[in-house]
Amino acid sequence: MSFAGKVWRLLVGIKDGLSLLFLLMFFIALFAILSSRPSPGVVRDGALFLQLDGSVVEEASAIDPLTALINQELPASQYQARDLVAAIDAAATDKRIKAVVLDLSSFTGGGHIHMQEVGDALDRVRKAKKPVLTYALAYTDDSMMLAAHASEVWVDPMGGAIIAGPGGERLYLKGLLDYLKVNVRVYRVGTYKSAVEPYMRNDMSPEARENAQALYSSIWEEYKAKIRKARPQADIERVTTDTVAWLQASGGNPSKAALDAKLVDKVGDWEAFGKHVASIVGADPFDTSPGAFAKTELKPWLAAIEPEAPTRGLTGGGKTIGVITIAGEISDGEAGPGEAGGARISRLLDEALSDNLAALVVRVDSPGGTITGSEAIRRAILRHKRKGIPIVVSMGNYAASGGYWVSTPADRIFAEPETITGSIGVYGVVPTFENALSHWGVGSDGVATTPLSGQPDIFSGFTPEIDSVLQQTVEHEYGVFLSLVAKSRGMTTQQVDRIAQGRVWDGGTARQLGLVDQFGDLSTAIEWAAQKAGLKKDGWQVRYLGGGTDPYLSLIERMLGGETEAAHTTGASTPDLFATVAGREEERLAGALQGLGRLLESRGAQAYCLECAPETPAHPSATSPNGRLAALAAWFGR
């Protein structure tokens, strides 16, 4: 018994020790989570420092903590446009902030609408008599749009500026598919529905070229007009029409060329830039590194102004106006945020049915996607409309195809001149491999009781009957699309068909055609919804359905060393002008992979706009070269 007692006491001691250890680990983890969150107490007098080391988006993509920890790498940073606008607007009126400083050295861009929204916010800072300063190693189209709104634009001596304009070539896969003996069966309605062309042609069709030329020309003219308005001294025509001569005149020195064309105001490195900023906002008493200045970074500033509060700086108190965001490609499941999973968005809308919303604003920034996902979202919006509240749509960069499908319940549609919309058309693509299998000596045989037995069969091919069924299904869904638009816009289906056929329109033309009611941003749409609901000024508040940040994100960033705002690198890890241009080749590779992946994915009929968004990976983690090579290997390994 003595031995057994000793063993028992040993086991109890081990149990108690493990309990204390796990309890200690719990409190350490709790402390780490709480201490890793941005603290409003970090806000100091000086500049609001925005180091945009990523892209500006409508809705930031969710980060999978497990994937990030396994890969030991965070996805590329994403900044929600409304967060940046809220932060900049708060800085314009806060006495602690003496200037707004943007470091655009690692900025990867954003949509035209988002650039203009952030640019307008920077204008409001300047109207408040506060300087706005930007610095970059290489300015490109999107970063130049932001810099145009600054009071001082600096560029590194080793950098420069290049403006490419919209457009470019994309890959067409028909020759490759023929070589692989893959038979791509295309079912579509719409002369201009070009999303299927990469699978059925080796070049752009005349109809698609006509549509793209008109669309990109309109967007390009709007871009140049906004640059001229924000920075009249910039010689944008010289830079974009005779680029070689412009650069040669400066001896091939990109930074000097940018200065001569008045795209930038000063040439200097980060240390010189920081000293200049410090002369305006004061020195940083805690940081003596080259180029340091007194500053408050974005995350603690957002925590201080509480951007996730229901009002989000618009109005306060009273009834609630709900805002649902439909951003990214529309699918059927729970994808998102950052992707528009139809089931997820429908669930968020249904959960808000009991909240007695005074109005619903649908923010759409989507090139479309599946018909079934789009219809699920539309029906969820209609459930709110049946309660008698105003439904307003605010279009962002894109609201085309499925993005327009979900907009049809609106009482009023707001867009911007550069918004890409329309693309009213439907298609389906299915690859079959009967030719490839026959070439490899693989046969198929069987018994059928009806023409549809065993169909669709991607190995033996489709029968004429299943081909007809699929084409008629697509034609029916196109008819449904026309009817939805006709009812929403007060037109006949014949009138809609004339401006549909998959054709893509810019916001200005769409307004003339009646697809859009008026120009205005999200704030304008919200204010109209409040007026339509009969709400008094300052008698309402805004709540973003499904909004909020991941409470563990800051901890993951700290663990993986992702807090890049804490210290500015001196340029060793930021891309110069050559690297920036070369980096676009990686984007083309990513686009090619996505096009191939789309062909093999199990999807239903699609309402998707090829011209709307650049074909980049849906998840931002795929932006690294390693991620793309892995994706390439994965595709060929399917």
Side-chain angles (χ1 to χ4, degrees):
M1 292 297 294
S2 176
F3 175 75
K6 290 179 181 180
V7 171
W8 176 254
R9 286 193 294 270
L10 176 62
L11 293 175
V12 170
I14 293 174
K15 184 262 295 182
D16 292 341
L18 289 174
S19 298
L20 289 172
L21 179 61
F22 282 121
L23 190 62
L24 180 62
M25 291 174 62
F26 170 77
F27 282 111
I28 290 175
L30 181 62
F31 174 78
I33 292 172
L34 295 176
S35 63
S36 66
R37 286 182 162 182
S39 172
V42 182
V43 173
R44 294 180 289 159
D45 290 357
L48 171 61
F49 180 49
L50 305 176
Q51 186 179 353
L52 302 183
D53 56 336
S55 60
V56 176
V57 297
E58 183 66 38
E59 184 180 50
S61 298
I63 294 178
D64 183 353
L66 183 59
T67 301
L69 290 172
I70 291 174
N71 294 337
Q72 288 295 295
E73 181 183 12
L74 281 170
S77 299
Q78 293 184 330
Y79 301 90
Q80 293 187 153
R82 65 174 182 260
D83 288 344
L84 290 175
V85 171
I88 295 169
D89 280 340
T93 57
D94 195 294
K95 294 180 180 179
R96 294 171 294 181
I97 302 300
K98 299 179 176 63
V100 174
V101 178
L102 288 85
D103 178 10
L104 302 174
S105 297
S106 300
F107 181 53
T108 57
H112 292 293
I113 305 304
H114 295 147
M115 295 302 96
Q116 189 56 42
E117 290 172 347
V118 177
D120 289 344
L122 295 175
D123 287 341
R124 292 190 286 272
V125 173
R126 295 182 64 181
K127 287 179 181 178
K129 307 301 181 184
K130 295 183 179 181
V132 176
L133 303 95
T134 67
Y135 173 88
L137 197 60
Y139 288 100
T140 55
D141 296 42
D142 295 338
S143 54
M144 197 66 240
M145 174 60 79
L146 294 184
H149 294 269
S151 47
E152 283 189 42
V153 181
W154 284 59
V155 69
D156 191 278
M158 298 301 295
I162 184 169
I163 299 176
E169 296 187 353
R170 66 174 64 249
L171 295 182
Y172 287 78
L173 307 174
K174 182 66 166 71
L176 172 63
L177 295 170
D178 287 345
Y179 175 77
L180 296 174
K181 300 187 182 303
V182 176
N183 184 12
V184 177
R185 299 170 182 270
V186 174
Y187 310 91
R188 69 167 174 170
V189 182
T191 304
Y192 296 90
K193 199 64 183 175
S194 60
V196 297
E197 288 190 357
Y199 311 121
M200 55 187 297
R201 297 178 59 95
N202 281 326
D203 59 1
M204 182 181 286
S205 69
E207 295 83 3
R209 187 177 302 278
E210 172 198 345
N211 192 189
Q213 187 66 54
L215 179 69
Y216 292 147
S217 295
S218 175
I219 292 174
W220 177 231
E221 290 304 318
E222 285 287 344
Y223 176 91
K224 292 191 292 183
K226 283 183 166 54
I227 290 285
R228 292 191 194 101
K229 181 180 178 182
R231 191 174 178 83
Q233 69 270 36
D235 192 351
I236 188 72
E237 290 299 329
R238 180 186 176 200
V239 171
T240 57
T241 59
D242 198 0
T243 307
V244 175
W246 161 61
L247 191 57
Q248 286 177 340
S250 299
N253 185 335
S255 61
K256 185 177 183 300
L259 185 65
D260 291 344
K262 295 182 170 54
L263 295 178
V264 304
D265 299 303
K266 294 183 181 179
V267 177
D269 61 16
W270 176 258
E271 183 176 358
F273 175 73
K275 286 181 179 179
H276 178 64
V277 175
S279 70
I280 298 172
V281 304
D284 190 334
F286 306 105
D287 187 356
T288 58
S289 62
F293 51 86
K295 61 183 177 292
T296 296
E297 295 165 357
L298 178 61
K299 289 180 181 177
W301 181 248
L302 287 174
I305 65 173
E306 298 180 341
E308 293 299 337
T311 59
R312 194 171 290 264
L314 293 173
T315 58
K319 294 187 176 180
T320 299
I321 295 176
V323 178
I324 186 70
T325 301
I326 303 172
E329 188 170 339
I330 298 172
S331 59
D332 296 333
E334 289 283 338
E339 297 178 55
R344 178 182 64 86
I345 293 173
S346 298
R347 174 173 49 77
L348 291 174
L349 286 166
D350 288 344
E351 288 172 354
L353 282 171
S354 60
D355 293 344
N356 295 318
L357 299 178
L360 177 67
V361 176
V362 183
R363 176 66 169 179
V364 183
D365 194 59
S366 171
T370 65
I371 290 290
T372 47
S374 302
E375 177 63 6
I377 295 172
R378 187 189 74 90
R379 291 175 181 175
I381 295 172
L382 285 176
R383 287 192 280 273
H384 282 269
K385 190 166 187 174
R386 285 196 289 269
K387 298 186 71 174
I389 64 172
I391 306 294
V392 183
V393 164
S394 169
M395 293 180 171
N397 298 290
Y398 317 105
S401 241
Y404 199 88
W405 185 296
V406 301
S407 302
T408 54
D411 298 310
R412 197 158 190 84
I413 295 178
F414 290 80
E416 300 283 4
E418 301 97 324
T419 297
I420 298 177
T421 188
S423 192
I424 299 168
V426 180
Y427 74 91
V429 179
V430 184
T432 60
F433 303 93
E434 66 274 19
N435 296 333
L437 292 176
S438 175
H439 177 73
W440 293 334
V442 178
S444 63
D445 202 355
V447 175
T449 54
T450 75
L452 297 183
S453 294
Q455 293 292 321
D457 189 337
I458 65 171
F459 299 118
S460 301
F462 288 5
T463 62
E465 289 80 4
I466 192 65
D467 268 331
S468 177
V469 167
L470 293 175
Q471 180 61 35
Q472 289 184 59
T473 299
V474 166
E475 291 173 1
H476 168 71
E477 289 172 337
Y478 178 67
V480 173
F481 203 165
L482 294 181
S483 298
L484 292 175
V485 177
K487 182 179 178 180
S488 171
R489 308 312 299 166
M491 302 179 182
T492 65
T493 54
Q494 292 77 17
Q495 289 174 321
V496 176
D497 188 40
R498 283 195 290 270
I499 61 175
Q501 293 291 321
R503 182 150 189 162
V504 184
W505 306 100
D506 63 273
T509 306
R511 184 181 178 186
Q512 296 173 3
L513 295 173
L515 294 175
V516 168
D517 292 304
Q518 72 181 76
F519 294 147
D521 58 12
L522 177 59
S523 296
T524 305
I526 293 172
E527 290 168 2
W528 190 92
Q531 294 175 1
K532 186 71 173 177
L535 304 179
K536 296 181 180 179
K537 185 178 180 180
D538 296 330
W540 48 275
Q541 60 184 1
V542 175
R543 181 164 67 87
Y544 287 87
L545 307 182
T549 57
D550 186 345
Y552 302 104
L553 179 57
S554 296
L555 176 61
I556 297 169
E557 288 178 337
R558 176 168 293 185
M559 293 173 64
L560 297 179
E563 293 184 329
T564 57
E565 292 179 319
H568 181 275
T569 61
T570 57
S573 63
T574 54
D576 61 9
L577 191 61
F578 191 94
T580 299
V581 173
R584 293 181 178 177
E585 294 306 307
E586 292 184 12
E587 295 177 4
R588 289 178 56 79
L589 174 58
L593 292 174
Q594 189 178 52
L596 289 168
R598 184 184 297 278
L599 179 62
L600 295 182
E601 288 175 353
S602 300
R603 294 168 176 260
Q606 298 282 297
Y608 182 81
C609 169
L610 185 68
E611 297 87 353
C612 292
E615 291 204 2
T616 53
H619 197 283
S621 62
T623 58
S624 68
N626 290 339
R628 287 176 183 146
L629 290 174
L632 184 64
W635 188 83
F636 281 109
R638 288 180 179 182

